Amino acid sequence: MKWPWRAKTKAGAKSEAAAGAPVGTQAETTAGNEFDAQASEERVQGRLDAAAEAAAAAEREATDRVARRWGRDAAEWRGWLARSPVGVDLLHWWFDEADLLALVGEDRYVDRLGELLSQAAPRDIAAMGLGCTRREDRACRFAEICSQDPDVPPGGRIESYRHGGIPGACSSFLDCWSRHEIDVTFTAGDTHRSVLLFRDHPFEARLWVDGVRVGEGEGLDKGGFWEDERFFTIRIEGPQDHPHQGMGDIGNQLYNIVSLLIHDAERGTTRILVPQDTENWTDPVLDVRDGTGRVYPTREAAAAGGTPDRTFPLDGPELD
């Protein structure tokens, strides 16, 4: 039996309301929903745009802060330096020289600079702002390229003579304007490296090969050479009693007759060859051929071929 006074359930009320609702009400509700969806999309896009603007502003501020602190060149290497703790340490040591000198003194500052340069990757040194293989007189202008990882084929290795712009940066770096007169050169595959801090005088110069001090106590020339990707050679102060000893040519850092230091990077051994009275070594050169080291008195003599002044087996014992 149906009781006329029995209250309707909520479901029944909703059903009757829907059945008796005007035709246009559902359309208006749909339109309202569409309007709400569009507004929601606009709000989301607005938040995304605001976040992008904030990120861009933060990036600009970070770049400006780095540029103010370490120079515009370093700012362009931020992406690489974020991956290189040694690069960051080197940058700090290089740019904070005045404060660090007061803290640790001259000798320790120079030694630590050489140690860091001996650990650093080519990209770390480029980020310092030194001159490079492409242009010795200015900092790298291709950071967006040189800061990338080098493209090395399977089984291959990075070239020994590289100049930018090239991924992985150049293979040699030269400091033309600071008192340290830094000269860093890498061999093929960055397997070995020489680090020379000339410091305005042969007897103030300090040399590291693969992180090891070489030629301590010797008067070093301003720059050396890698031979056969294994032997680092540099002219050093020659015998004062040599019959042809005297002032060197204008621009030379040493006297006329010089000795030759040869460091074998594979064996970690050093030879110092001193010219005899009959050997006129003004620019001695090591030529590596057929397992034998040949020493010529000058580059011209080496290019001409001829008989060398000295020969020795490359894997033989050290020579006095």
Side-chain angles (χ1 to χ4, degrees):
M1 175 177 233
K2 186 174 181 182
W3 304 98
W5 58 83
R6 188 170 181 175
K8 296 185 177 67
T9 63
K10 290 184 179 180
K14 287 182 179 178
S15 177
E16 290 185 9
V23 175
T25 303
Q26 188 172 358
E28 289 173 2
T29 302
T30 302
N33 291 340
E34 290 178 353
F35 174 80
D36 291 341
Q38 181 179 355
S40 177
E41 288 179 6
E42 290 175 354
R43 286 195 297 272
V44 170
Q45 188 60 48
R47 293 193 191 99
L48 293 175
D49 291 343
E53 290 176 6
E59 179 69 15
R60 289 192 298 271
E61 171 59 25
T63 299
D64 290 344
R65 180 181 291 274
V66 172
R68 290 193 300 269
R69 179 66 177 80
W70 292 293
R72 181 60 58 182
D73 294 327
E76 295 177 355
W77 289 88
R78 284 179 57 215
W80 164 250
L81 290 170
R83 301 162 50 194
S84 176
V86 172
V88 174
D89 289 347
L90 177 60
L91 203 66
H92 271 298
W93 200 261
W94 180 240
F95 278 89
D96 293 344
E97 178 175 353
D99 292 335
L100 290 167
L101 280 173
L103 180 65
V104 302
E106 175 76 12
D107 282 346
R108 182 56 190 144
Y109 178 84
V110 174
D111 279 344
R112 182 59 178 158
L113 179 59
E115 292 165 3
L116 286 169
L117 288 166
S118 296
Q119 300 168 19
R123 284 176 279 186
D124 297 328
I125 301 174
M128 292 171 62
L130 301 190
C132 57
T133 312
R134 181 182 178 90
R135 282 287 297 269
E136 295 179 347
D137 60 334
R138 72 183 189 192
C140 174
R141 300 293 179 86
F142 302 98
E144 71 282 1
I145 299 173
C146 296
S147 61
Q148 299 174 17
D149 293 336
D151 184 15
V152 182
R157 58 181 182 175
I158 193 168
E159 300 271 341
S160 60
Y161 182 81
R162 311 186 300 273
H163 60 85
I166 183 171
C170 289
S171 57
S172 64
F173 300 89
L174 195 65
D175 162 28
C176 296
W177 47 84
S178 91
R179 67 189 184 91
H180 299 291
E181 300 179 85
I182 299 169
D183 185 344
V184 181
T185 303
F186 292 84
T187 64
D190 296 344
T191 305
H192 304 296
R193 85 182 67 194
S194 56
V195 175
L196 176 67
L197 277 59
F198 185 69
R199 304 174 69 235
D200 197 40
H201 195 280
F203 284 97
E204 292 294 328
R206 301 187 191 185
L207 172 65
W208 291 259
V209 179
D210 293 345
V212 176
R213 280 290 301 275
V214 174
E216 291 187 71
E218 304 290 344
L220 305 176
D221 196 12
K222 191 176 183 180
F225 301 91
W226 281 98
E227 305 293 343
D228 200 41
E229 309 286 354
R230 170 180 171 182
F231 301 94
F232 182 77
T233 67
I234 187 170
R235 305 189 315 168
I236 64 175
E237 193 77 6
Q240 294 300 309
D241 59 353
H242 194 283
H244 297 290
Q245 190 60 279
M247 296 298 294
D249 293 337
I250 295 176
N252 286 356
Q253 304 296 326
L254 303 174
Y255 283 102
N256 185 48
I257 301 299
V258 297
S259 298
L260 185 66
L261 182 150
I262 303 171
H263 183 81
D264 184 343
E266 287 187 6
R267 300 175 69 187
T269 58
T270 302
R271 311 170 186 259
I272 293 180
L273 304 183
V274 180
Q276 300 175 2
D277 288 354
T278 56
E279 296 173 329
N280 192 21
W281 290 6
T282 56
D283 187 16
V285 176
L286 172 67
D287 179 37
V288 175
R289 198 185 323 160
D290 301 326
T292 301
R294 296 170 168 84
V295 178
Y296 292 89
T298 64
R299 296 193 174 278
E300 292 75 15
T307 303
D309 283 359
R310 305 275 184 95
T311 61
F312 58 90
L314 295 178
D315 292 313
E318 290 187 52
L319 300 180
D320 295 329

